[in-house]
Amino acid sequence: MDLGISGRTAFVAASSRGLGRAAAEALAAEGVHLLMNARGEGPLAEAAGAVRETHGVRVLEAPGDLADPGVVQRVLAAGFEEFGRFDIMVTNIGGPPAGPFESFSPEDWRAAIGQNLESVLNLVRGVLGGMEERGWGRIINITSIAVKEPIPNLILSNSLRAAVTGFAKTLAGEVAPHGVTVNNVMPGYTRTDRIMELSEKNAALRGTTPEQELGRWAEQIPAGRVGEPEELGALIAFLASERAAYITGTSIAVDGGWLRALI
């Protein structure tokens, strides 16, 4: 299927590895030019070079921590200078630390809000006007299955991912008349550095091993395994496409059937 987005330009946050890298690869395979961002300069340069060589698209790497509003402005400015516009925005912010409510201070909450909510608002704010003017745009937020079913010991993530979902649902209705769609993808347990970190923390709490924790999660998933980043990337590419123009305001799980909710 031709997704009809060859020649478009996308910003993909946290795209040096994991889910962001998978999103960048899937979009580049469709001929989309990319601004790739991550905090680490070395891994980002390596990932951008690989995507550029494999898919033959233009790739600009712009390192920086998107929790800093000044960094968001700088990174977006570099992208506008290079490409002139952004048609697709993929927000992808690393999850905050695991732990129960009483383990986090007000400062921890403020940091999580800046990292997981305000960074999304700043990224969207920076590209939305141009999308509306051109009558075409795709905003895709990587959230979590925790939006539908909160995961124990992840109170920061559960709270902030839900906030992004409320923002996206409301925004979708506001910008739909301008040809801009806003959707969320909800990864389940997927083979990334994040899931390994969580498995280690849970193992420490329960007196088990990380491998046992991964096995416990796999047993809860009807598909019988954790997901692969590329499986989420494929959905992101479709939601960014011309074919998905009538899909907006949704949150779609990629979780092997883990969620039991009807909707």
Side-chain angles (χ1 to χ4, degrees), residues 112-188:
I113 290 169
Q115 176 185 357
N116 292 96
L117 176 60
E118 291 180 351
S119 62
V120 173
L121 305 183
N122 291 333
L123 287 168
V124 172
R125 186 180 291 115
V127 302
L128 184 59
M131 292 178 176
E132 291 180 302
E133 289 174 7
R134 293 186 297 274
W136 200 99
R138 302 287 186 264
I139 296 169
I140 303 162
N141 306 302
I142 300 178
T143 59
S144 168
I145 50 171
V147 169
K148 294 272 186 161
E149 188 173 337
I151 298 172
N153 205 45
L154 287 181
I155 192 165
L156 291 177
S157 181
N158 294 341
S159 301
L160 275 301
R161 306 293 194 191
V164 170
T165 302
F167 158 71
K169 183 67 173 179
T170 308
L171 181 66
E174 295 177 358
V175 302
H178 304 287
V180 179
T181 67
V182 186
N183 293 291
N184 309 306
V185 294
M186 303 183 298

Side-chain angles (χ1 to χ4, degrees), residues 9-258:
T9 300
F11 182 111
V12 184
S15 50
S16 64
R17 59 186 181 179
L19 300 178
R21 172 70 179 272
E25 293 275 4
L27 290 168
E30 296 297 324
V32 175
H33 306 300
L34 298 172
L35 190 156
M36 296 176 62
N37 159 265
R39 284 178 290 184
E41 292 188 25
L44 178 61
E46 181 179 349
V51 171
R52 189 182 295 115
E53 181 177 353
T54 300
H55 302 288
V57 296
R58 294 165 62 194
V59 181
L60 175 68
E61 63 257 35
D65 185 350
L66 299 177
D68 182 342
V71 170
V72 173
Q73 292 181 350
R74 172 178 59 78
V75 168
L76 287 176
F80 282 121
E81 182 176 355
E82 176 73 16
F83 300 117
R85 71 178 196 270
F86 286 107
D87 305 300
I88 301 160
M89 167 61 71
V90 180
T91 74
N92 174 38
I93 310 301
F101 175 70
E102 292 183 344
S103 68
F104 297 113
S105 67
E107 291 74 21
D108 294 326
W109 278 94
R110 280 191 286 271
I113 290 169
Q115 176 185 357
N116 292 96
L117 176 60
E118 291 180 351
S119 62
V120 173
L121 305 183
N122 291 333
L123 287 168
V124 172
R125 186 180 291 115
V127 302
L128 184 59
M131 292 178 176
E132 291 180 302
E133 289 174 7
R134 293 186 297 274
W136 200 99
R138 302 287 186 264
I139 296 169
I140 303 162
N141 306 302
I142 300 178
T143 59
S144 168
I145 50 171
V147 169
K148 294 272 186 161
E149 188 173 337
I151 298 172
N153 205 45
L154 287 181
I155 192 165
L156 291 177
S157 181
N158 294 341
S159 301
L160 275 301
R161 306 293 194 191
V164 170
T165 302
F167 158 71
K169 183 67 173 179
T170 308
L171 181 66
E174 295 177 358
V175 302
H178 304 287
V180 179
T181 67
V182 186
N183 293 291
N184 309 306
V185 294
M186 303 183 298
Y189 292 103
T190 308
R191 197 180 304 278
T192 63
D193 291 344
R194 171 69 168 169
I195 198 175
M196 295 309 302
E197 174 190 340
L198 292 177
S199 68
E200 291 168 2
K201 288 184 178 293
N202 286 351
L205 285 172
R206 295 189 176 94
T208 60
T209 67
E211 291 74 20
Q212 288 173 317
E213 292 299 314
L214 286 172
R216 185 175 65 84
W217 287 328
E219 290 174 357
Q220 298 171 13
I221 300 169
R225 62 175 178 86
V226 298
E228 300 297 335
E230 295 76 15
E231 293 169 313
L232 187 81
L235 174 61
I236 289 172
F238 178 73
L239 289 174
S241 74
E242 292 282 2
R243 305 291 177 262
Y246 204 56
I247 301 172
T248 194
T250 64
S251 292
I252 303 175
V254 182
D255 66 348
W258 185 86

